[in-house]
Amino acid sequence: MIRRKGSLILCGMLLFVTWNAILVLLLWGRPPPGQSDVPGQQHEEVASEPTNDVVGDVLRMAGSFEAELELQKQILIQIQRHHSLWEPLNRNHPQVRAPPEHVIPVLVIACNRVTVRRCLDKLLQYRPSAERHPIIVSQDCGHAETAEVIRSYGNQIIHLKQPELSDIAVQPEHKKFQGYYKISRHYRWALSQVFNTLSHSSVVVVEDDLEVSTDFFEYFSALLPLLKSDPNLWCVSAWNDNGRDGYVDPGKADLLYRTDFFPGLGWMLLRELWEELEPKWPPSFWDDWMRHPEQRRDRACIRPEVSRTLTFGRQGVSLGQFYDKYLRYIKLNAEYVPFTKLDLSYLKEETYRENFEKEVYSAPVVSYEAVKQGQLKGPGPFRLQYSSKDSFKILAKNLGIMDDLKSGVPRTGYRGVVSFISKGRRIHLAPPPGWTQYDITWS
């Protein structure tokens, strides 16, 4: 099909050149004003009739040339628009240019970590195509050493610098949170550059302290069509908050979930979502703001069983919150999964909800003691039930999973259910049957 279209366009170009050659010959052969092409015959076109107004004759001729040039311009525009179809016929350009809707840039949010090199090295190592996945590094802070590290990658990346570096006026009690205000300002500026200035239709956001897995790009490429087609999804994340070694099934690296909790830490969004969020973007704590019901609007994200990102940045504005206890032990996927070749239709909302609830609520109910002491019989899965905020937090903490809630939503939760592995068995920490909505006072 490409060869056929390419042949047609090459024919069009030959016709274009031939037509212009004929046009030049005709213009050269045109008689001077006052002469007829054929003796005794007058030109029928008014513009060709000789007059005593030499300036007028020149202007009319110029108008004729202008109209002809405009026609040729339109032909050239059409050829340019179809350039990508015939370009593969050139031996020097063997690859078909990726359509804009298939380009997924990666936005790296950077500040003052020279270890951004670890992040960039892995992105470049695993990136399958520079054309399909341009890497945009947006740097805040004005840190010279970090800027030099980023510059060392040359044209392998795009280096943007956030221009506003001044402190932000905040209430006295928020002075200690100045860093969170600057991060939120930087995110807004960087995402605006990606969508409004560079005109991309999607982007994967990572921070400078994240290392990515071998199938990081494959994962997001496969899930972009689902994100575009499902209005009840608003992001795809590479992160599992409870993805520590021993709490995930390494044999199911291809397993994906819907979650009501915004995970972040390597996540993809579309331009349409940014157009919705940008006008009301918060001055600080942007990630917790994303978890408010007003932003989530009952939409879900996709997240993996085994994380496709790993954080190595203990030091930061959060002062290592959760890092030593949870984040440093997150298991990074080591098995390449060809997601683009898998059937991911099970993740569509109606299908997923029906199958997920059937699995959870048909599983036998077990006690905390049986789970904790490894006394479960059979392969599972098993259901461990909670009935209140306090019972959830006690069970989660004692079982070693993250126990905090944001607007009532537990980390990795879907319809109130948190799924994880405990002593080799799949456990669904779940509310009673008949769950309908989150209680936003559970925070």
Side-chain angles (χ1 to χ4, degrees):
M1 187 64 182
I2 290 176
R3 289 184 178 276
R4 182 180 177 185
K5 288 183 178 179
S7 299
L8 290 174
I9 293 169
L10 285 173
C11 289
M13 290 186 66
L14 289 173
L15 288 173
F16 172 77
V17 173
T18 304
W19 166 249
N20 280 279
I22 294 172
L23 178 64
V24 170
L25 289 173
L26 287 174
L27 292 173
W28 279 351
R30 176 176 288 180
Q35 283 190 316
S36 171
D37 290 326
V38 179
Q41 182 177 335
Q42 298 295 320
H43 284 294
E44 294 180 355
E45 297 182 10
V46 176
S48 299
E49 267 185 38
T51 72
N52 293 325
D53 182 5
V54 177
V55 174
D57 286 343
V58 173
L59 289 174
R60 281 187 287 274
M61 185 174 291
S64 177
F65 284 145
E66 183 179 359
E68 185 61 41
L69 287 172
E70 179 61 28
L71 175 62
Q72 302 310 309
K73 175 184 174 183
Q74 296 304 317
I75 295 173
L76 279 172
I77 289 173
Q78 292 299 317
I79 292 174
Q80 186 179 41
R81 285 177 179 170
H82 293 86
H83 183 264
S84 62
L85 294 174
W86 54 266
E87 187 177 34
L89 297 176
N90 189 328
R91 291 180 182 178
N92 295 325
H93 299 278
Q95 294 183 346
V96 179
R97 189 176 298 278
E101 64 271 17
H102 292 167
V103 174
I104 310 175
V106 176
L107 172 64
V108 180
I109 300 292
C111 181
N112 57 0
R113 289 189 178 106
V114 294
T115 51
V116 66
R117 183 180 298 280
R118 177 173 170 182
C119 171
L120 293 176
D121 283 349
K122 289 298 182 180
L123 286 170
L124 291 170
Q125 178 183 347
Y126 297 137
R127 179 172 67 171
S129 164
E131 182 184 58
R132 286 200 62 193
H133 302 288
I135 296 173
I136 304 163
V137 184
S138 180
Q139 186 190 0
D140 199 2
C141 308
H143 191 249
E145 291 181 8
T146 302
E148 185 57 37
V149 169
I150 297 169
R151 276 196 298 269
S152 71
Y153 288 88
N155 61 8
Q156 295 182 91
I157 64 168
I158 299 169
H159 186 188
L160 306 178
K161 293 183 179 181
Q162 206 282 99
E164 182 54 70
L165 303 179
S166 63
D167 283 347
I168 300 171
V170 300
Q171 297 175 356
E173 60 270 25
H174 273 212
K175 281 188 176 180
K176 61 182 178 181
F177 300 129
Q178 180 73 214
Y180 290 102
Y181 280 82
K182 290 185 176 182
I183 288 173
S184 190
R185 178 176 65 184
H186 184 197
Y187 262 86
R188 180 172 191 164
W189 183 84
L191 286 169
S192 177
Q193 293 301 303
V194 169
F195 290 120
N196 303 339
T197 303
L198 299 177
S199 300
H200 288 293
S201 59
S202 64
V203 69
V204 176
V205 184
V206 301
E207 296 192 0
D208 55 1
D209 61 347
L210 289 182
E211 179 180 329
V212 304
S213 69
T214 179
D215 57 356
F216 176 86
F217 292 96
E218 173 76 1
Y219 173 76
F220 284 108
S221 295
L223 289 164
L224 179 61
L226 181 64
L227 182 61
K228 287 182 173 181
S229 64
D230 189 341
N232 294 302
L233 284 178
W234 70 322
C235 87
V236 175
S237 174
W239 182 259
N240 176 358
D241 276 294
N242 290 314
R244 290 189 294 160
D245 199 6
Y247 288 79
V248 296
D249 186 345
K252 292 188 176 180
D254 61 342
L255 181 59
L256 307 178
Y257 298 83
R258 294 178 77 103
T259 176
D260 300 319
F261 190 88
F262 171 71
L265 292 174
W267 58 289
M268 178 167 63
L269 72 155
L270 302 179
R271 180 206 299 272
E272 291 78 7
L273 180 61
W274 180 241
E275 290 172 348
E276 172 192 325
L277 298 178
E278 183 182 19
K280 56 178 180 176
W281 191 253
S284 63
F285 305 105
W286 71 269
D287 48 351
D288 282 344
W289 175 83
M290 290 278 287
R291 292 158 184 154
H292 293 170
E294 295 82 4
Q295 279 63 254
R296 190 172 66 82
R297 292 168 49 192
D298 292 327
R299 292 173 291 192
C301 293
I302 299 297
R303 62 112 176 153
E305 167 77 0
V306 185
S307 288
R308 264 61 188 186
T309 54
L310 172 71
T311 178
F312 54 84
R314 184 182 186 279
Q315 298 300 321
V317 294
S318 65
L319 301 178
Q321 184 185 26
F322 298 131
Y323 184 84
D324 290 329
K325 188 173 182 180
Y326 296 104
L327 305 185
R328 68 183 300 177
Y329 302 109
I330 294 292
K331 180 178 176 61
L332 181 67
N333 180 61
E335 174 190 347
Y336 186 92
V337 177
F339 282 110
T340 55
K341 295 179 174 59
L342 302 182
D343 181 4
L344 302 179
S345 61
Y346 71 92
L347 290 167
K348 293 180 180 179
E349 184 184 31
E350 290 187 11
T351 302
Y352 185 84
R353 178 183 295 189
E354 181 179 347
N355 292 338
F356 184 81
E357 290 187 340
K358 182 178 179 180
E359 176 182 314
V360 171
Y361 290 102
S362 64
V365 178
V366 294
S367 68
Y368 161 75
E369 289 75 16
V371 175
K372 186 69 175 176
Q373 295 172 18
Q375 296 175 345
L376 301 175
K377 305 298 183 183
F382 301 95
R383 176 159 51 104
L384 182 59
Q385 189 165 293
Y386 68 88
S387 57
S388 66
K389 169 187 172 181
D390 290 340
S391 64
F392 170 81
K393 292 181 76 69
I394 290 171
L395 289 170
K397 183 175 182 179
N398 290 337
L399 289 169
I401 62 173
M402 298 189 77
D403 65 341
D404 62 319
L405 304 109
K406 304 292 184 181
S407 297
V409 185
R411 292 181 184 268
T412 75
Y414 177 72
R415 297 184 64 77
V417 181
V418 175
S419 298
F420 60 98
I421 298 294
S422 179
K423 300 186 185 303
R425 303 289 195 277
R426 171 69 60 187
I427 305 297
H428 297 302
L429 182 56
W435 181 97
T436 56
Q437 63 183 3
Y438 292 103
D439 185 340
I440 62 174
T441 67
W442 290 21
S443 294

